[in-house]
Every structure is written in structure tokens, then in C-alpha cells.
Amino acid sequence: MLELASVTDSLVNLATHLIRDIGLTGVALLTLTSGVIGVPGSEPTMLFAGFNVYQGHLSLVGIIVFGVIGDVLGASIAYTIGYFGSRELIERQGGKLHMSADRLDRTHRWFERYGSPVIVVSRLIPFIRAAFPYAAGVGRMPFVRFVVFTTIGSILWITALGVLGREVGSSWQSWRHNLEYVDYVGAAVLIAALAYLVVRRSRGGGGRPTPDVAG
């Protein structure tokens, strides 16, 4: 019997090769775009960069330095957009920046409650970390203070992800067998969704005719 190839394993290999090909400058670029629009995300970028460190293609110091540079630059761009753009502009265009009015209000409340040092903590929170620079700009936080706190948080976050990626890379073969369960669950969800659509379509075809609308 042929062994079932793991989708997760293939995606990891693809992403790892991509990071290796684009090099340290690419790591900085990916973390920069993650800070502005939220994708591809600092988490996968630095984890796969850490894989490359384990494989000997990149250095740990290199991915940390370039990752922090890109992360801080991305946050600074987001801060600038928030500072010079109005709140209404961000709310209208927030979808393009993975930003929403609710998220902006929530981060603003954090600032009011905890003050500027919340920036350090915010850089350590996945998914919502990209929202705080916009809120800091809208709230007119002094730029130098913003950059200082952002850099501290980014160093901690980027370093932790890079080291984690390197350590996971050393035991990836044991991890991948556990992650294959994700493949099975994903396949089951896909099959269930397709079955639901087929059943729904078949029932819809035999339903009541749509009544005419009198003019």
C-alpha cells in the first residue's frame, strides 16, 4: 500500500523553500507587509525562517535582525497611516488593512487603561498585534516613544518565533505525524461540506415553485 502523502508536510516544505529562496531581505519584506496588512503574518514567516536556520541555509541572528527591521518598519507605516489619515478613513478602508472599527475602539481602550507600555505587550499578541500601531497613530502617541516600545516588543516576539522554528525543525519528523491529523480533519470537513451542498441543491430543485409577483 502506498503511504498517504501529508498535505501539511508539502506546505511546510514549500514555505521553507520559499523563505530560503527570498533570503533575509525577503524575511524583512514579509514581516513588513504583515505589519501593514496582516498577511502573511509574522508567525509563519519567522517559523519557516527558523526551519531554514535548522537546515543551515540562514543564520539565527540574521533572521532575527531582518525580521525585527521589517516588523518595526511595518508597524511604523501603520502608525503613519493612523497618524495622518483620519479615523473615518481607516474605518472606511479598514477591510483592506485587516482593520475594523471595533478593533480600533478596543485597542484605544487598552491605551487609555494601560498607557504607552501596552505597545510592548501588544507586539506579543498574535492576530491583533497589527491593530495597535494604527490606534497609536490615531491617538497621536509620540513617534519616538512608539518606536522604542515597538522595537522592544518586536525583538521579544521575532526572537521567540525564530528560535521556536529552529527547535521545531530539529524534531519536525515527529511533529509532522501529529499534524497529519489536521489533514484528515480538513478532508473530513471538505467532504461534509460537499455533501451538504449536494443535498441542499437536490432539495432545492424539488421544492415549491417560486410564486409569480403580480405587477
Side-chain angles (χ1 to χ4, degrees):
M1 181 181 293
L2 295 177
E3 181 180 359
L4 178 64
S6 171
V7 175
T8 304
D9 193 39
S10 299
L11 291 176
V12 169
N13 287 332
L14 176 62
T16 303
H17 281 85
L18 176 62
I19 294 292
R20 183 186 65 189
D21 293 339
I22 61 180
L24 295 176
T25 302
V27 171
L29 181 61
L30 292 177
T31 53
L32 186 153
T33 58
S34 299
V36 178
I37 61 175
V39 292
S42 59
E43 298 87 353
T45 298
M46 294 309 302
L47 287 174
F48 292 131
F51 282 9
N52 276 279
V53 171
Y54 165 71
Q55 294 174 347
H57 301 299
L58 299 174
S59 69
L60 182 61
V61 173
I63 67 169
I64 291 174
V65 170
F66 279 80
V68 169
I69 290 174
D71 199 46
V72 174
L73 285 177
S76 299
I77 293 173
Y79 171 94
T80 303
I81 294 173
Y83 189 92
F84 291 102
S86 65
R87 178 188 176 91
E88 291 75 18
L89 175 64
I90 294 179
E91 290 178 350
R92 289 198 307 269
Q93 304 297 328
K96 300 176 183 178
L97 303 172
H98 290 256
M99 175 64 60
S100 65
D102 291 340
R103 183 174 294 180
L104 195 63
D105 289 336
R106 188 162 55 249
T107 54
H108 182 68
R109 288 194 296 269
W110 277 45
F111 282 125
E112 289 183 336
R113 184 171 184 178
Y114 301 108
S116 300
V118 75
I119 287 291
V120 176
V121 179
S122 72
R123 304 308 291 167
L124 309 177
I125 304 176
F127 306 114
I128 67 170
R129 66 192 305 268
F132 282 85
Y134 289 103
V138 170
R140 297 297 195 271
M141 176 186 291
F143 181 70
V144 174
R145 185 188 308 169
F146 168 79
V147 169
V148 169
F149 286 122
T150 296
T151 301
I152 294 173
S154 292
I155 289 174
L156 296 174
W157 181 245
I158 296 298
T159 300
L161 289 175
V163 172
L164 178 61
R166 183 190 64 179
E167 296 305 313
V168 170
S170 64
S171 56
W172 172 244
Q173 291 305 315
S174 61
W175 278 58
R176 68 177 291 274
H177 292 301
N178 295 327
L179 289 177
E180 281 180 354
Y181 290 110
V182 176
D183 300 336
Y184 304 146
V185 172
V189 171
L190 179 60
I191 293 173
L194 291 174
Y196 170 77
L197 291 175
V198 170
V199 171
R200 182 178 179 181
R201 186 178 182 86
S202 63
R203 289 180 177 178
R208 294 179 304 173
T210 302
D212 294 332
V213 178

